[in-house]
């Protein structure tokens, strides 16, 4: 016999991705046990997100203003557009500090099994953006998996006629990896994309 | 460059037990992406828990009233008290439908490394409760690990002089388990606590 409001919180936590009944129970009882400060902090953050987050009309990233800070920054190079599937990818790329262009968030990748078709992603908007002529290069920065590859191929076919430079992220050995334990595909990619270190 | 309010939500989720930056990021972006209904549901549940949950003055479980529904129910047997470490244990035991007594929640187990001493748990309250003379049996239902065993031993030493019947949960093979793969301690427990199936 769990109290009804704790039960409701356990069910609410199960809305989060990958959270099952046991994890939700752990979260709920932890919050009940540790008291109100933690609950207030999460409440405040949720309220703020609900009240302030909009989707940028240009890159479709989530932000507090539209166009977002990246799209409206005079310091960013508008001629290079990095095409990613999710907002979290933007976070990861921004953390590198190696990219000074702008983004275009597709909102997912093509997936025949889950029924994600081109019209469900911001592909029409990407073509329209490419046609405006500001972008000189599109970096297709999708995951190195089946769905990412399929989507990349689809985008290349669609965008090649526009004459914009299309690139993708490099493939090879991840840092800290051991050749002995690398999988065949990664090793094949690393061989094919090898770099000249000098000499002739 | 993540929006400040999303960043705040990512940090708030890291307050939850076992949630690191990556998982928190996943939760936050999921909620931002799927929209306001999910956020509202979690907000409502958190608000309700914050507003309505109190600790039962008798068993120290979290509930909407004190004494809680279990402690105040005329259908429950007040002479059998099941001593557990956390509220989540009550949920698990109640799900079995096999227990009709009442509970006493210690709030943890003794742990020298983490500095959890008897005065941090509801042990004084348990002794006081045992002295009242209503309880005829205390079931020490703590985890079958080091901390649980230590705490059980401590409680037995402390409570034995009161002349109340003290029991603990049975040890043996879990349902669906394979003798071949059972660990030695579990198998030893199962042997020692074996039950007579008939015959002499």
């Amino acid at each position: 016999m769990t109290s009804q409001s704790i039960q409701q919180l356990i069910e609410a936590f199960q809305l989060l991705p990958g959270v099952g009944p046991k994890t939700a129970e752990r979260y709920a009882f932890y919050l009940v046990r540790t008291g109100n400060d933690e609950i207030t902090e999460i409440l405040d953050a949720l309220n703020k997100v609900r009240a302030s987050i909009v989707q940028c009309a240009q890159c479709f990233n989530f932000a507090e203003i539209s166009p977002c800070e990246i799209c409206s920054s005079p310091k960013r190079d508008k001629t290079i557009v990095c095409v990613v599937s999710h907002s979290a990818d933007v976070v990861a790329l921004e953390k590198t500090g190696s990219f000074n262009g702008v983004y275009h968030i597709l909102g997912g990748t093509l997936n025949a099994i889950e029924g994600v078709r081109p019209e469900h992603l911001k592909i029409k908007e990407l073509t329209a953006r490419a046609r405006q002529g500001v972008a000189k290069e599109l970096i297709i920065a999708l995951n190195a998996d089946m769905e990412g590859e399929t989507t990349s191929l689809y985008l290349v076919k669609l965008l090649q006629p526009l004459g914009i430079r299309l690139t993708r992220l490099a493939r090879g050995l991840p840092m800290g990896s051991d050749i002995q334990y690398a999988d065949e595909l990664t090793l094949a990619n690393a061989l094919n994309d090898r770099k000249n270190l000098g000499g002739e």
Side-chain angles (χ1 to χ4, degrees), chain A:
Chain A
M1 200 187 300
T2 321
S3 123
Q4 211 198 320
S5 54
I6 297 181
Q7 196 53 47
Q8 191 186 332
L9 185 59
I10 294 174
E11 273 156 34
F13 276 134
Q14 289 180 58
L15 294 170
L16 295 171
V19 175
K22 277 281 161 199
T23 306
E25 212 176 277
R26 196 152 128 255
Y27 291 172
F29 279 117
Y30 173 83
L31 286 179
V32 169
R33 203 165 61 232
T34 51
N36 283 340
D37 286 0
E38 267 86 352
I39 297 184
T40 306
E41 206 159 316
I42 299 178
L43 275 171
D44 286 352
L46 283 169
N47 270 318
K48 211 174 277 180
V49 158
R50 188 170 60 165
S52 69
I53 292 299
V54 294
Q55 207 166 15
C56 171
Q58 197 153 7
C59 72
F60 304 101
N61 198 1
F62 297 106
E64 264 134 56
I65 41 165
S66 172
C68 71
E69 277 185 76
I70 294 177
C71 285
S72 57
S73 163
K75 288 183 190 148
R76 309 286 302 215
D77 183 353
K78 310 291 188 298
T79 65
I80 307 180
V81 178
C82 185
V83 181
V84 298
S85 53
H86 291 298
S87 291
D89 302 328
V90 174
V91 178
L93 286 161
E94 285 296 293
K95 273 185 196 151
T96 67
S98 307
F99 182 64
N100 193 38
V102 291
Y103 293 94
H104 186 97
I105 290 94
L106 291 177
T109 39
L110 298 174
N111 189 326
I113 294 160
E114 288 177 20
V116 183
R117 286 189 298 274
E119 60 267 31
H120 299 123
L121 306 176
K122 302 289 183 193
I123 289 180
K124 209 173 64 226
E125 290 81 354
L126 179 62
T127 337
R129 200 171 164 185
R131 282 222 175 83
Q132 288 168 5
V134 181
K136 303 284 173 237
E137 175 179 355
L138 297 183
I139 306 173
I140 317 280
L142 303 176
N143 288 342
D145 58 11
M146 259 273 273
E147 289 76 28
E149 298 287 272
T150 312
T151 314
S152 296
L153 277 176
Y154 179 88
L155 290 177
V156 168
K157 257 196 176 165
L158 189 75
L159 297 164
Q160 222 154 24
L162 302 182
I164 297 178
R165 190 178 175 213
L166 298 173
T167 55
R168 66 152 170 77
L169 297 180
R171 299 285 158 74
L173 293 169
M175 282 308 285
S177 67
D178 195 324
I179 288 178
Q180 193 183 346
Y181 299 116
D183 66 287
E184 293 146 44
L185 263 176
T186 299
L187 217 47
N189 280 329
L191 264 174
N192 291 334
D193 289 356
R194 67 188 178 279
K195 293 262 175 184
N196 199 349
L197 290 176
E200 170 217 359

